[in-house]
Amino acid sequence: MRSVLTGTGAARGMALGRARLEHPSRYLVDDSPLAEHEIEDELERLRRAIALARDELRTLREKLHGSLEREVAEFIDAHSLMLADRELTNGLFELIRVGRYRASAALKTQRDRLVAVFEAMDDPYLRSRKEDVEHVLGRVQASLARESSVEERRLAARVGEILVSDTVAPSELVPLAERGVLGVVLSSGSQVSHSAILARSLHLPMIVAAHDALSHIQDDDLILIDGEHGEIVVHPTAQDLARLRAWQRETSQKSKRLALLRNAETRTKDGVAISLHANAESPADVAQARVLGASGVGLYRTEFLFLQRKEIPSEDEQFLAYRDLVLGMGGLPVTIRTLDLGADKADASGLVMDDEENPALGVRGVRLSLRHPQLLVSQLRAILRASGYGPIRVLVPMVSTVEEVLSVRALLQECARDLRTAGYEIADHTELGAMIEVPAAAIALGGMIQSLDFVSIGTNDLVQYTLAVDRNNDHLAHLYDPLHPAVLKLLAQTIATARRAKRRVMLCGEMAGDRRYTALLLALGLTDFSMHPGLLLEVRETINALDRERLRAHAPALLRASTRARIEGVLERLSSDD
Ligand code: PEP
Ligand code: MG
């Protein structure tokens, strides 16, 4: 019964819940033909599964109340009718009796046939009915495969749901979290996808690249997920639940230990002050950042504001969001990044081009903003208006040329002039910085740095573009390597170029919050980190135990190392020295 599936941990935390399969793209199907003597049993299994699916629909209908009752009830009734439809069920029984299909294979075959019929219809309404077929047959399929014990069903009734799907868009995650989903398991995806970043921000445990999830987990199975280690236990035992309780105890002990570091200084053993900023996506992140003593907000991804809704937020709406962010940080600096839509951050407002062959290399970030100057202007105006309430810096994503920086700066100055003329009180000077996440910007930073007030290294994309490895493609996860010698060279070069020009250099990619890389980044000369606030205290704890001078002395060895293994060797020596 109990089985363990693995994936990649993408957002920490454990959750126990009932699996809720969404858009399962595959059915678990046994294709081997039935033997003569198995036919009757198989027919009986299918009858029981259909009856169970009907019962479930009836229970669902009884539970309906509120404004959606009528609308939803119509769907449920239609589905119940389909299950009672002789044509449909006889077709299934026929496949078992005559074709010697197993019940699951019969359901799949019937589904494929019916879907093909509906898809061929001209009428869009009728065409859309194929979804009903999928739902109804999917429900029977799930009933057929359900193997939960009475005890398990009792437990499952008391716990919430864990979404199991092939993918989930960043824009779908917020409503899911609001609906109370306890965790997410995806059969594809990666740790540095925007969905994963958002899940961390929402404190929603997430596992990605769990390739077997959809074929092994059934709707309603009780599952226990561990978002740190990427482990899914299907039908957990008492021992597994004891592990969950142990984790809960450990987490509370760890947070008590780390709580002592709230508002503590971040300073290496040899006395160098390090700034830890927060990547804040929500008001909860902002509150957490303040409580934990962040030096400011190092990255506010404005696209999340756009992804949660259908229309483009107006200048006023944006202003209110940015103003609240600045006020929430109580005078600490806030870095607001202009829109980085495109690639996997497609919006519902239709700005993002959907016919690009290679969206990661397409109209994304500043390229999209400069194609829609009105949009950029309204965003810059909103940011500048909020600058009257506290220190704000503007950060531009996906920069690859100095001309892009100059264009944004010209618009920023024009907006500032217009606002002042119109009587708004805005900051005297608003710093403008660039994300260094395209290798060209890192390599040619020397020629760009004088046009910038600061830079912020986006390792999530810098690794993807340097190594030509799609950050969202789980099949390439082994190649997506922040410890590649080429990445290290670009990091060291970027930090050194910015420091020579006396410009602040921050790192706001996921590497900054991963304590495995803290010593490395200090060795390369980084002093400004920006990470999800939930990681701030453990990075502070790590930094406070390190000697920066000694780490700096190892930088040449790190940069000389020609392979990942050698780099790891140097890093190991670094940690064993302590
Ligand atoms: C990055 O690329 O490292 C980054 C911080 O930006 P995003 O993850 O939003 O692309
Ligand atoms: Mg990026």
Side-chain angles (χ1 to χ4, degrees):
M1 275 278 266
R2 174 188 187 270
S3 58
V4 179
L5 308 175
T6 52
T8 307
R12 280 198 265 180
M14 289 183 87
L16 175 72
R18 271 174 298 145
R20 180 61 56 232
L21 264 71
E22 295 259 326
H23 319 299
S25 47
R26 275 163 295 176
Y27 283 83
L28 180 65
V29 158
D30 182 353
D31 281 331
S32 58
L34 290 168
E36 177 83 42
H37 67 275
E38 290 175 316
I39 292 177
E40 270 317 308
D41 283 352
E42 201 65 6
L43 288 168
E44 192 43 42
R45 276 189 72 217
L46 180 61
R47 275 187 211 108
R48 275 202 311 270
I50 292 175
L52 185 58
R54 281 235 280 292
D55 282 353
E56 281 176 353
L57 285 172
R58 196 174 314 120
T59 318
L60 251 181
R61 194 173 188 320
E62 281 160 12
K63 278 196 203 147
L64 285 179
H65 51 78
S67 56
L68 285 177
E69 181 176 347
R70 241 199 37 223
E71 210 175 312
V72 179
E74 271 174 27
F75 272 101
I76 296 182
D77 291 344
H79 288 186
S80 302
L81 278 176
M82 279 172 90
L83 276 178
D85 180 354
R86 285 278 153 117
E87 292 245 348
L88 182 103
T89 48
N90 283 348
L92 288 168
F93 293 133
E94 195 72 359
L95 282 168
I96 295 177
R97 207 177 285 119
V98 183
R100 304 225 166 160
Y101 283 67
R102 286 176 197 275
S104 59
L107 280 163
K108 182 181 182 308
T109 308
Q110 184 79 325
R111 165 186 167 271
D112 291 349
R113 279 184 191 163
L114 293 173
V115 165
V117 172
F118 280 112
E119 267 174 352
M121 289 180 176
D122 285 336
D123 181 335
Y125 171 75
L126 286 177
R127 224 171 28 236
S128 74
R129 304 310 291 179
K130 82 172 179 55
E131 279 162 28
D132 294 325
V133 173
E134 283 181 327
H135 280 154
V136 168
L137 294 183
R139 188 172 280 281
V140 182
Q141 191 76 268
S143 317
L144 189 67
R146 192 153 311 141
E147 38 174 349
S148 30
S149 63
V150 177
E151 167 64 12
E152 192 174 288
R153 258 181 267 144
R154 198 175 53 77
L155 196 54
R158 298 206 327 249
V159 299
E161 292 182 351
I162 294 175
L163 173 77
V164 181
S165 184
D166 38 12
T167 57
V168 65
S171 53
E172 289 167 336
L173 270 181
V174 178
L176 279 172
E178 281 168 356
R179 231 181 59 197
V181 161
L182 299 173
V184 178
V185 174
L186 301 179
S187 59
S188 64
S190 87
Q191 278 173 312
V192 278
S193 69
H194 289 100
S195 294
I197 291 172
L198 195 55
R200 289 193 280 276
S201 172
L202 296 166
H203 305 285
L204 203 60
M206 179 189 265
I207 295 174
V208 296
H211 302 293
D212 296 331
L214 282 170
S215 52
H216 281 72
I217 302 174
Q218 308 296 334
D219 229 10
D220 268 345
D221 277 351
L222 188 66
I223 58 174
L224 173 66
I225 66 169
D226 177 346
E228 180 164 9
H229 301 105
E231 194 182 89
I232 306 142
V233 183
V234 188
H235 307 301
T237 59
Q239 260 174 345
D240 294 310
L241 300 187
R243 199 153 62 84
L244 171 67
R245 280 191 294 277
W247 172 82
Q248 284 164 335
R249 270 196 307 275
E250 251 168 55
T251 310
S252 96
Q253 274 159 11
K254 183 176 159 200
S255 31
K256 273 191 206 136
R257 191 185 80 228
L258 290 177
L260 300 174
L261 293 172
R262 283 178 180 196
N263 291 308
E265 283 195 330
T266 313
R267 202 175 273 283
T268 59
K269 273 203 308 206
D270 52 334
V272 182
I274 304 293
S275 299
L276 300 187
H277 303 256
N279 292 357
E281 260 79 63
S282 67
D285 291 344
V286 174
Q288 200 184 5
R290 271 297 284 287
V291 170
L292 303 182
S295 308
V297 167
L299 175 65
Y300 178 81
R301 292 176 164 99
T302 55
E303 54 277 8
F304 289 137
L305 207 68
F306 286 61
L307 289 171
Q308 289 163 30
R309 40 185 307 153
K310 287 227 158 37
E311 318 79 41
I312 299 169
S314 66
E315 177 187 317
D316 279 347
E317 279 173 88
Q318 289 188 63
F319 158 67
L320 292 177
Y322 307 152
R323 184 203 59 187
D324 289 351
L325 170 68
V326 176
L327 290 176
M329 286 310 288
L332 295 170
V334 164
T335 306
I336 299 184
R337 188 172 73 181
T338 58
L339 260 187
D340 188 15
L341 286 178
D344 68 327
K345 286 182 283 194
D347 65 329
S349 56
L351 284 171
V352 175
M353 304 175 73
D354 56 10
D355 54 353
E356 288 184 301
E357 288 228 343
N358 197 345
L361 303 184
V363 184
R364 181 192 158 178
V366 68
R367 303 168 182 179
L368 185 95
S369 292
L370 289 173
R371 265 174 85 101
H372 299 276
Q374 268 325 310
L375 185 78
L376 181 56
V377 163
S378 80
Q379 181 160 44
L380 292 175
R381 282 176 59 94
I383 296 174
L384 285 169
R385 282 170 59 191
S387 76
Y389 295 79
I392 289 190
R393 302 169 184 149
V394 177
L395 178 61
V396 187
M398 278 294 286
V399 167
S400 56
T401 69
V402 70
E403 286 76 16
E404 287 163 337
V405 176
L406 296 177
S407 302
V408 177
R409 194 180 282 286
L411 284 175
L412 187 68
Q413 285 165 347
E414 197 180 306
C415 290
R417 259 197 316 275
D418 290 352
L419 286 169
R420 286 199 189 95
T421 311
Y424 287 97
E425 278 189 29
I426 62 169
D428 292 340
H429 174 68
T430 300
E431 288 189 10
L432 182 70
M435 290 285 292
I436 304 300
E437 52 186 346
V438 176
I443 295 166
L445 184 60
M448 204 187 284
I449 193 79
Q450 295 304 329
S451 310
L452 291 163
D453 299 311
F454 69 98
V455 295
S456 193
I457 308 176
T459 41
N460 304 342
D461 279 314
L462 189 62
V463 173
Q464 133 161 296
Y465 293 127
T466 303
L467 305 179
V469 171
D470 179 352
R471 65 193 260 188
N472 297 311
N473 186 336
D474 54 306
H475 299 294
L476 299 175
H478 60 294
L479 291 176
Y480 184 93
D481 183 11
L483 290 185
H484 190 290
V487 175
L488 257 51
K489 286 188 172 54
L490 288 181
L491 288 178
Q493 188 181 324
T494 305
I495 295 168
T497 307
R499 288 172 71 94
R500 262 200 311 278
K502 301 207 169 8
R503 298 297 197 271
R504 191 181 314 103
V505 50
M506 189 173 313
L507 193 149
C508 63
E510 296 302 293
M511 256 185 115
D514 189 332
R515 62 201 305 179
R516 289 174 304 170
Y517 302 126
T518 311
L520 165 79
L521 296 173
L522 288 175
L524 297 182
L526 191 76
T527 53
D528 283 63
F529 295 63
S530 191
M531 67 203 68
H532 185 269
L535 300 166
L536 219 126
L537 295 185
E538 55 188 63
V539 174
R540 178 174 292 153
E541 186 181 51
T542 311
I543 290 176
N544 290 359
L546 291 167
D547 184 316
R548 180 166 183 268
E549 213 36 54
R550 211 179 49 71
L551 292 174
R552 292 288 284 146
H554 284 82
L558 280 168
L559 295 172
R560 264 196 316 272
S562 53
T563 62
R564 184 203 161 98
R566 294 211 171 115
I567 291 169
E568 275 179 327
V570 182
L571 289 177
E572 255 162 48
R573 278 208 301 286
L574 285 184
S575 56
S576 60
D577 279 7
D578 264 319

